[in-house]
Amino acid sequence: MEENNKLETISNLFEGKEIRSVWDVEKEEYYFSVIDVITALTDSNIPKRYWTDLKRNLAKEGSKLYENIVQLKMKSKKDGKNYLTDTLDTKGILRLIESVPSSKAEPFKLWLAQMGSDRIDEVFDPEIAIRRAINYYRNKGYSDRWIEARLKGILDRNKLTDI
């Protein structure tokens, strides 16, 4: 990864617990610290050990999650030095959350199930996706005029690029 990749932390998703993440500029993808997520979702005193055991169990079940691990240097919370850290992209981290047997993970699992259900509904009725986009833009404070221009712009661009 290049040096212009951006290191960030998020805390609003996990009851204030910090999750280190890196934005990969080339792949346009976030990578999240696996240990940070394990720490946030479990009461384990040794999250690295928990992760080691979970990897072993997932491999026995046929999960390919471990194959998607990317080791990236992240600043340690303890001493401020950079160490190679197991990370997963957004899809991988969501799969990890699904795999953690913890009551703390349950709200995320319910959210994921709802998101999946919503997207399946959109497959059968694409207008639902359009309404969701309109509501998203409205919630962000955009005017209906701006939203209309944005949607028309997307449609026009797709016509030009044969999408």
Side-chain angles (χ1 to χ4, degrees):
M1 293 190 135
E2 294 182 14
E3 288 190 26
N4 61 349
N5 290 334
K6 189 175 175 185
L7 180 64
E8 297 181 10
T9 59
I10 56 172
S11 58
N12 56 338
L13 295 179
F14 295 94
E15 297 178 358
K17 301 230 173 135
E18 269 191 9
I19 308 296
R20 292 170 293 165
S21 64
V22 173
W23 174 253
D24 183 334
V25 174
E26 290 178 17
K27 294 182 181 177
E28 296 185 345
E29 184 75 62
Y30 275 105
Y31 288 86
F32 301 90
S33 166
V34 170
I35 294 300
D36 291 354
V37 172
I38 295 292
T39 301
L41 293 181
T42 70
D43 294 321
S44 175
N45 293 330
I46 309 170
K48 287 182 183 181
R49 173 56 124 179
Y50 188 101
W51 172 228
T52 301
D53 293 343
L54 183 60
K55 282 189 286 192
R56 191 176 311 114
N57 291 338
L58 290 172
K60 285 179 188 174
E61 295 172 3
S63 172
K64 305 292 185 196
L65 186 63
Y66 183 69
E67 295 173 13
N68 297 324
I69 293 290
V70 176
Q71 286 211 322
L72 301 174
K73 284 195 173 187
M74 291 187 157
K75 190 175 284 191
S76 170
K77 295 175 189 178
K78 293 179 184 173
D79 64 11
K81 295 180 181 177
N82 288 325
Y83 296 100
L84 285 176
T85 304
D86 283 356
T87 66
L88 286 166
D89 62 12
T90 303
K91 184 177 175 182
I93 217 69
L94 293 173
R95 281 290 299 125
L96 174 68
I97 292 168
E98 290 175 332
S99 302
V100 173
S102 164
S103 61
K104 292 180 182 179
E106 195 59 27
F108 297 102
K109 293 176 184 179
L110 292 172
W111 175 77
L112 285 171
Q114 183 61 52
M115 293 294 286
S117 176
D118 291 349
R119 295 311 161 267
I120 290 170
D121 291 345
E122 291 171 5
V123 167
F124 292 107
D125 185 0
E127 186 177 329
I128 295 170
I130 295 167
R131 285 195 309 264
R132 182 173 50 85
I134 291 168
N135 287 332
Y136 176 79
Y137 284 129
R138 281 183 180 148
N139 290 338
K140 294 284 234 175
Y142 292 102
S143 69
D144 285 350
R145 189 175 187 180
W146 183 94
I147 295 168
E148 182 180 356
R150 174 75 173 145
L151 294 176
K152 284 182 180 178
I154 292 169
L155 183 61
D156 291 344
R157 186 174 55 250
N158 287 345
K159 284 180 187 175
L160 290 172
T161 57
D162 292 331
I163 292 180

